[in-house]
Amino acid sequence: MINIENSPIQEVFYNNKKIFIKRDDLLNSDFSGNKARKFHYFLINDFPCIKKVVSYGSNQSNAMYSLSVLCKLKEWEFEYYTDHLSSAMLQNPVGNLKYALQNGMKLKLFKECKYSELDNKNTLSKTIIKNNTIFIPEGGRCETSRYGINQLAKEIVKFKKEKKLINLAIFLPSGTGTTALFLQQSLVKMNDKTKVYTNACVGQKEYLRKQFLALDKNENNHPQILDTKKHTFGKLDCKMYRFWIELQKKLDIEFDLLYDPSGFWYMMDFLQKNDITEEIMYIHQGGIKGNESMIQRYKRKCGENFQYK
Ligand SMILES: *Cc1c(COP(=O)(O)O)cnc(C)c1O
């Protein structure tokens, strides 16, 4: 059984600012990051009647890859549904798709779907267990994710006590916002004053606020959403690619290319504009298997020899 608790916390300096980095990318070599936290519940519990997991989403999703690892460990079948797939991608899969297929994932298109649970792909809002099968919503946006994120909160509070930190502010980027919200809720429940800050990588601030409200009506439990520029999710931005290269050079840490550059960027932006007294922690979101396909695309867009300067 693999253990995915107690990721290390590393102290770095960036632009003279001390930042603790919670290295969730190092939880385990195969099962790491944000999605490992979300699927922790399935990893540690026994499901004697389960034979299969069904989920859906993009064909480069980190959740897809992490579920493929989970299913391999559990010896469950894994069926994954997606909207579309270019023939180039099918002939030469890269990144998360390549590794998920190697782990035995069966990739299918929605039009081949035989499950009523997934007929309307946007409505699966909770985990369903039925006929020896677990249906998991896109990206692990469901209550079962709470378990692993609560574990993350416990590790952070323990660290705070050990280091005798009075005030701590946590930063992480959001997609659906599930991780940031569950983390803030867990901290509040533990009577810990640590504040969670996040930025919207998918949609704008308003979309993220709606996501939070759908999960929790009480705004006191919501993370603070940082101001960000308008950006389309997944759209390549050479400025962010350069920043990613810079982070790697200065910190010797590889981040993912989809969320972390903007998470770190807007954290630094906020720290420059606001004089906050809290100690700072950034949570590495893992997902670096997905970089393989992102780097190919970035090199095409920004130039093969694109350099940090
Ligand atoms: C899924 C994911 C996120 C977004 O997490 P949410 O809980 O949907 O906000 C951020 N970073 C990485 C690397 C991810 O895989």
Side-chain angles (χ1 to χ4, degrees), residues 34-35 38 62-63 139 149 173-180 208 256 259-260 285-288:
N34 166 303
K35 299 306 180 294
K38 284 180 160 177
N62 292 325
I149 296 165
S174 277
T176 63
T178 313
T179 310
L208 190 55
D256 96 296
Y259 297 92
D260 277 328
Q285 299 293 299
I288 55 175

Side-chain angles (χ1 to χ4, degrees), residues 27-84:
L27 278 171
N28 174 271
S29 59
D30 291 320
F31 199 56
S32 71
N34 166 303
K35 299 306 180 294
R37 295 285 187 185
K38 284 180 160 177
F39 301 135
H40 195 179
Y41 174 83
F42 295 108
L43 181 72
I44 59 141
N45 285 295
D46 278 334
F47 298 86
C49 298
I50 293 303
K51 296 202 162 55
K52 188 193 275 191
V53 165
V54 175
S55 191
Y56 61 94
S58 107
N59 66 52
Q60 277 300 332
S61 141
N62 292 325
M64 171 192 76
Y65 170 70
S66 294
L67 284 175
S68 78
V69 175
L70 175 77
C71 291
K72 196 175 166 193
L73 286 166
K74 293 279 192 178
E75 300 180 359
W76 292 336
E77 270 180 71
F78 178 35
E79 255 177 60
Y80 187 83
Y81 289 84
T82 195
D83 267 332
H84 65 95

